Amino acid sequence: MHREFDLGSLSFVADGFNLPEAKGGIEWLDPDTLLLSSALGDGTATRSGYARTVRLWKRGADPLTSAVIFEADSESLGVSGHLDRTAGSERLWSSRRRPSSK
């Protein structure tokens, strides 16, 4: 579960980012945009139950209709999105975990 928390008021943001429990994660891009990788609904999870897509989730938008910027097949273990601010210019990274081959 993810809920937006305001450190200034020490309270949850009433109309903030709010997600039910699911396998995945978020990362802030800016105050109104998150990178979202979460297994929220039909077709969004891998066979392992982890996120299959990375989306740009804008404040106030439905996360399931947010733009998909990276997608893996259902046989992957899962995906994630990251923002690197250390390289002198911001870079978005997406990664896909694949099952080990034996």
Side-chain angles (χ1 to χ4, degrees):
M1 171 182 255
H2 294 287
R3 285 183 68 189
E4 185 175 0
F5 190 78
D6 183 332
L7 290 174
S9 67
L10 298 177
S11 63
F12 290 106
V13 177
D15 293 328
F17 291 106
N18 189 1
L19 289 172
E21 185 173 349
K23 292 180 178 179
I26 57 170
E27 186 156 336
W28 290 95
L29 290 183
D30 62 47
D32 293 315
T33 313
L34 297 179
L35 272 180
L36 170 64
S37 53
S38 188
L40 292 172
D42 292 338
T44 64
T46 64
R47 282 187 24 185
S48 300
Y50 288 93
R52 196 169 78 80
T53 60
V54 177
R55 298 170 182 265
L56 284 176
W57 185 20
K58 299 282 188 180
R59 184 176 300 281
D62 178 348
L64 289 174
T65 61
S66 296
V68 174
I69 60 169
F70 184 74
E71 184 171 5
D73 58 48
S74 63
E75 298 303 311
S76 296
L77 294 178
V79 299
S80 59
H82 309 280
L83 175 62
D84 178 5
R85 291 186 167 107
T86 63
S89 63
E90 295 179 344
R91 295 179 184 177
L92 288 178
W93 293 89
S94 294
S95 61
R96 174 184 62 172
R97 294 175 304 280
R98 298 201 46 94
S100 61
S101 56
K102 295 183 180 182

